[in-house]
Amino acid sequence: MTVASAEKVDREYTYSQDDFERVRATVFKIAGIRLQDSKVTMVYSRLSRRLRALGLSSFRDYLGLVERDKPEQQEFVNALTTNLTSFFREPHHFEALASYLRSHPDTKAIWCAASSTGEEPYSIAMTVAEITGTFSSGIKIYASDIDSKVLATAKAGVYKAEQIAKLPKERQKQFFYKGKGSKLGKVRVVDELRKMVQFRQINLTDSDYGFKNTMDVIFCRNVMIYFDKPTQNKVLARLVSHLNDDGMYIAGHSEHFSSASNIIRPVGKTIYKPVR
Ligand SMILES: C[S@@+](CC[C@H](N)C(=O)[O-])C[C@H]1O[C@@H](n2cnc3c(N)ncnc32)[C@H](O)[C@@H]1O
């Protein structure tokens, strides 16, 4: 789809194909995100909110600001990421984590590398707490994302009650406080679980992730799909360089790495081991 073919609706701001191409080039440069042609309308609707908030009158002015201004660059990236996630999404990965923890009682570190609003790292933390029988096993859980807004939500650990409605009652009781009064309909991750996860901002396309230690397990799910192949292979190699020889790399359901057989080999459904 081009901007012209999507132009059936009246728009508040002028939005040209050049504007879209500039957005596309900028978000690729900053975050490695490859926007498909079909995202023309999504880009308009997400960024026009920024134009409105800033009182700007054109995409051209806005994109000029993004180039000059670091904080707006962050807002720009936040606006264009897709953050869909849920607790225990793709449950077989958490079963695989549980059996890894049972067979590797010396596990020290797990990294959730595109943690979005926190449901995934807290699902990891619940699994660790259940298998080790404690909130203070000493296993470090790192969680990161490029998007500063989702990281803030993740750190707060507050969710709509309906987001945990499908979890077994036992998990709901052990791992969440139920909101009352003005917080009715909300739940919050219990402090002990929240403290198990260390959040930090990491752009996976950066050349250095800043970790000194290596990881036993890396969850990197449903983010590679936004990158092109060369970026995927570069990011994958860098992630796997942080993985122990006997570590486990867990990918999203539609992420396959047949062209990266020199980096990882499959050992289960979207579960991989490093090739050394
Ligand atoms: C669809 S969500 C996946 C969330 C979770 N991993 C899951 O599978 O449920 C993709 C996440 O990747 C993040 N992301 C996109 N580009 C990134 C980059 N270059 N570095 C780090 N995170 C990125 C987005 O901000 C978003 O939160």
Side-chain angles (χ1 to χ4, degrees), residues 31-33 81-86 89-90 112-116 120 144-147 150 202-205 221-223 226-227:
I33 294 171
T81 53
T82 298
N83 309 116
L84 183 76
T85 186
S86 56
R89 180 183 193 186
E90 300 175 60
C112 174
S115 58
S116 188
E120 183 175 41
S144 63
D145 203 283
I146 195 175
D147 181 330
V150 294
I202 296 176
N203 179 347
L204 291 174
T205 64
R221 305 190 308 164
N222 306 306
V223 58
Y226 300 102
F227 303 154

Side-chain angles (χ1 to χ4, degrees), residues 30 46-47 49-51 53-54 56 61-79:
I30 302 173
R46 298 221 189 145
L47 293 183
R49 282 182 222 142
R50 290 305 305 153
L51 268 74
L54 294 161
L56 294 174
D61 288 352
Y62 178 66
L63 292 167
L65 177 68
V66 169
E67 267 160 32
R68 297 188 303 276
D69 185 79
K70 273 263 167 209
E72 192 51 43
Q73 232 173 61
Q74 181 68 60
E75 295 289 346
F76 171 82
V77 170
N78 290 357

Side-chain angles (χ1 to χ4, degrees), residues 1-12 15 40-41 44:
M1 192 188 289
T2 61
V3 168
S5 66
E7 209 142 57
K8 299 203 174 61
V9 278
D10 274 343
R11 292 206 172 105
E12 189 179 350
Y15 176 50
V40 160
T41 306
Y44 177 84

